[in-house]
């Protein structure tokens, strides 16, 4: 008989491992099986209040984020306003400094015009009659009034911090001219009152020679001052004024030469006059050379070139919108401060040479103020970019 196949034995069933009393109690505690109704109610309340608190915190955080965004927008607007105000302050500072320089220049020009007016009045004096003398006295009073006004203007300039030493140097010439003018009027009036008759047809060569001598003296003094200005002036904007003065001197020289040719017919000894003509002619020819050798003018021209660079950097800083460009601008600020220090050292060298640098310092101060303005604009841009990007620069 064939053998019957035997049934396989059933798999052995795995019985759960019995837990100890401590493990069973821990299991019941973790699965909350031991909680009574009161504990269950407390757990539900804790869960409810916890979720409510979490939702409240979430709401407050979202609200705070919105407020921060709004605050950053307001702060950006504030920075824009600060930038505008800073620009206005910088422009105002520059305008004030330029206004001071312009005021000093106008006073200086007024003094020179008054001196020239006195010279013109002295030329008219020999031909004046009694009525003309009265007019000249009125003109003298007006010139004295102008002199007092100029003194008040100088005092005002000193009070607002403008250097006036170079302006005071021209005042003695004006004062002496007024004294000479008053004395000459008195002499002319006395001559007319005692009845001395003028010879109309015959040229008074002696008087003409004396008049020409006075004109040449005035021209020579004015020429010396003119050349001194060409050598020491520090404002590039005044070069054109000097060139106009040069043209006026050339015209006056032609008039002197015309009268000199007339005097040659007199037979008088004109050797002294010829000698006096030479410095005037030489002064006219030396003008361009004096202008080219002006150390102060070359220095301030470099300063104003640097100011143009600073102004360009200010425009770049105002338009800057990333930290990489901002870092370059900071480096440029440092470089410009170094350039200011280099200018200051050059000024010190000029002063050590015995030169009066007061006329240059005002222009240097304009440069220094401009660089400080650039530094503020760069800082404002850093704050603006930092707020916008959420990163401090």
């Amino acid at each position: 008989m064939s053998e019957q196949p035997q049934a396989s034995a059933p798999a052995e069933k795995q019985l759960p491992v019995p837990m100890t009393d401590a493990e069973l109690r821990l299991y019941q505690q973790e699965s909350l099986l031991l909680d009574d109704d009161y504990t269950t109610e407390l757990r539900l309340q804790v869960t409810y209040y916890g979720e409510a608190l979490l939702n409240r915190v979430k709401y407050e955080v979202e609200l705070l984020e919105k407020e921060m965004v709004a605050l950053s927008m307001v702060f950006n607007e504030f920075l824009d306003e600060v930038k505008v105000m800073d620009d206005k302050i910088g422009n105002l500072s520059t305008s004030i400094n330029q206004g001071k320089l312009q005021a000093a220049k106008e006073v200086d020009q007024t003094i020179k015009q008054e001196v020239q007016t006195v010279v013109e009045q002295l030329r008219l004096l020999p031909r004046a009659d009694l009525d003309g003398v009265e007019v000249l006295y009125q003109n003298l009073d007006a010139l004295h009034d102008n002199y007092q006004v100029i003194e008040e203007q100088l005092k005002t300039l000193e009070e607002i911090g403008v250097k006036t030493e170079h302006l005071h140097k021209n005042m003695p010439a004006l004062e002496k001219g007024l004294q000479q003018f008053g004395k000459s009027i008195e002499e002319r009036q006395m001559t007319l009152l005692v009845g001395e008759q003028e010879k109309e047809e015959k040229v008074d060569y002696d008087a003409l020679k004396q008049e020409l001598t006075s004109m040449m003296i005035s021209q020579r003094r004015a020429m010396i001052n003119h050349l001194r200005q060409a050598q020491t002036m520090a404002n590039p904007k005044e070069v054109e004024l000097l060139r106009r003065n040069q043209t006026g001197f050339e015209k006056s020289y032609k008039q002197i030469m015309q009268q000199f040719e007339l005097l040659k017919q007199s037979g008088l000894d004109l050797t002294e006059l010829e000698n006096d003509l030479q410095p005037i002619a030489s002064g006219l020819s030396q003008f361009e050379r004096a202008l080219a050798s002006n150390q102060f003018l070359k220095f301030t021209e470099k300063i104003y070139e640097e100011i143009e660079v600073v102004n360009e950097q200010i425009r770049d800083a105002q338009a800057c919108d990333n930290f990489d460009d901002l870092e370059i601008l900071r480096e440029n600020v440092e470089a410009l401060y170094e350039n200011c220090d280099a200018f200051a050292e050059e000024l010190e060298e000029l002063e050590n040479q015995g030169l009066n640098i007061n006329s240059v310092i005002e222009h240097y101060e304009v440069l220094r103020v401009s660089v400080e303005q650039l530094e503020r604009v760069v800082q404002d841009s850093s704050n603006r970019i930092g707020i916008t990007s959420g990163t401090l620069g």
Side-chain angles (χ1 to χ4, degrees):
M1 291 179 62
S2 59
E3 296 180 358
Q4 294 294 328
Q6 296 180 354
S8 59
E12 186 178 353
K13 185 176 181 181
Q14 297 290 331
L15 296 176
V17 179
M19 293 185 290
T20 63
D21 292 341
E23 290 175 340
L24 178 61
R25 186 169 183 80
L26 178 62
Y27 170 75
Q28 290 175 336
Q29 288 178 346
E30 291 178 347
S31 58
L32 308 181
L33 295 177
L34 299 178
D35 289 353
D36 55 17
D37 293 341
Y38 178 74
T39 303
T40 301
E41 180 65 22
L42 286 178
R43 290 186 185 276
L44 291 175
Q45 291 182 7
V46 169
T47 302
Y48 170 78
Y49 286 118
E51 290 179 351
L53 179 61
L54 181 62
N55 290 333
R56 181 65 181 181
V57 170
K58 182 179 179 181
Y59 169 78
E60 294 293 342
V61 170
E62 292 177 350
L63 181 61
L64 180 61
E65 289 178 348
K66 292 179 181 180
E67 290 178 348
M68 287 296 294
V69 172
L71 181 61
S72 65
M73 294 176 63
V74 173
F75 191 70
N76 282 336
E77 293 177 358
F78 171 73
L79 288 179
D80 291 338
E81 291 295 328
V82 170
K83 182 183 70 174
V84 172
M85 291 300 297
D86 188 66
D87 292 341
K88 291 181 179 179
I89 292 173
N91 293 334
L92 180 61
S93 298
T94 302
S95 299
I96 290 174
N97 288 330
Q98 292 176 348
K100 290 180 179 180
L101 294 174
Q102 181 64 26
K105 183 182 74 172
E106 291 177 356
V107 172
D108 184 49
Q109 186 176 0
T110 300
I111 295 174
K112 295 173 184 176
Q113 289 175 347
E114 289 296 295
V115 173
Q116 187 63 31
T117 300
V118 173
V119 172
E120 295 295 334
Q121 293 293 303
L122 287 170
R123 291 176 182 173
L124 296 174
L125 187 59
R127 304 181 184 88
D129 54 15
L130 287 175
D131 292 335
V133 168
E134 291 299 325
V135 173
L136 291 175
Y137 268 124
Q138 294 174 7
N139 294 344
L140 178 61
D141 291 338
L143 289 169
H144 277 296
D145 292 340
N146 293 345
Y147 183 85
Q148 294 177 356
V149 171
I150 292 173
E151 286 187 326
E152 291 296 326
Q153 290 175 338
L154 289 175
K155 183 178 179 181
T156 302
L157 289 176
E158 291 173 355
E159 290 175 352
I160 63 176
V162 178
K163 308 295 183 181
T164 59
E165 289 81 358
H166 63 292
L167 300 178
H168 280 290
K169 292 180 180 179
N170 297 326
M171 292 296 286
L174 177 56
E175 183 179 7
K176 187 174 181 180
L178 291 174
Q179 293 174 354
Q180 180 62 38
F181 184 32
K183 181 179 179 181
S184 299
I185 294 176
E186 292 177 358
E187 293 176 352
R188 178 59 181 171
Q189 187 180 40
M190 183 62 67
T191 299
L192 292 173
L193 290 175
V194 297
E196 180 177 333
Q197 298 180 352
E198 299 180 359
K199 299 179 180 179
E200 297 179 357
E201 297 181 358
K202 183 178 179 180
V203 178
D204 188 345
Y205 289 108
D206 290 330
L208 182 59
K209 181 180 178 182
Q210 183 178 1
E211 179 183 355
L212 185 57
T213 301
S214 299
M215 289 178 60
M216 291 172 61
I217 291 174
S218 298
Q219 180 85 346
R220 186 167 63 250
R221 290 175 179 173
M223 177 62 65
I224 292 173
N225 185 54
H226 177 61
L227 291 176
R228 183 184 298 111
Q229 284 186 300
Q231 291 175 333
T232 61
M233 66 173 294
N235 192 343
K237 299 178 182 179
E238 294 181 358
V239 174
E240 185 58 31
L241 175 62
L242 278 183
R243 295 194 183 279
R244 289 199 299 267
N245 291 343
Q246 176 74 4
T247 301
F249 282 125
E250 291 172 351
K251 291 181 179 179
S252 297
Y253 181 72
K254 290 180 180 179
Q255 295 176 358
I256 290 174
M257 290 303 300
Q258 290 174 356
Q259 295 195 20
F260 186 77
E261 291 298 324
L262 179 61
L263 272 177
K264 287 183 178 180
Q265 304 173 12
S266 65
L268 298 174
D269 183 8
L270 304 180
T271 304
E272 185 176 353
L273 285 179
E274 287 179 336
N275 293 335
D276 291 339
L277 275 172
Q278 184 58 37
I280 299 176
S282 177
L284 289 173
S285 64
Q286 293 294 323
F287 172 70
E288 292 295 340
R289 184 182 301 176
L291 202 60
S293 64
N294 187 336
Q295 298 183 64
F296 291 159
L297 188 59
K298 294 177 182 178
F299 190 87
T300 51
E301 285 174 348
K302 291 194 298 183
I303 286 179
Y304 278 99
E305 289 174 0
E306 191 79 356
I307 290 174
E308 286 299 321
V309 174
V310 175
N311 290 337
E312 183 178 353
Q313 291 291 299
I314 289 175
R315 291 190 291 269
D316 291 344
Q318 291 170 342
C320 181
D321 57 2
N322 66 79
F323 279 118
D324 292 336
D325 293 341
L326 197 63
E327 186 60 31
I328 295 175
L329 287 168
R330 287 196 181 101
E331 293 175 358
N332 292 344
V333 170
E334 294 298 325
L336 289 167
Y337 269 123
E338 291 176 0
N339 292 346
C340 284
D341 293 339
F343 280 125
E345 290 176 359
E346 290 186 48
L347 279 173
E348 187 175 356
E349 290 178 4
L350 292 175
E351 189 174 29
N352 291 336
Q353 295 173 14
L355 299 176
N356 186 348
I357 62 173
N358 290 334
S359 59
V360 186
I361 288 180
E362 294 179 2
H363 302 279
Y364 170 77
E365 289 175 351
V366 173
L367 171 60
R368 192 80 186 188
V369 168
S370 299
V371 177
E372 291 172 356
Q373 180 188 357
L374 170 60
E375 185 177 27
R376 290 194 299 271
V377 173
V378 170
Q379 184 58 50
D380 291 343
S381 297
S382 175
N383 295 337
R384 170 172 51 81
I385 297 172
I387 290 297
T388 303
S389 63
T391 306
L392 293 179

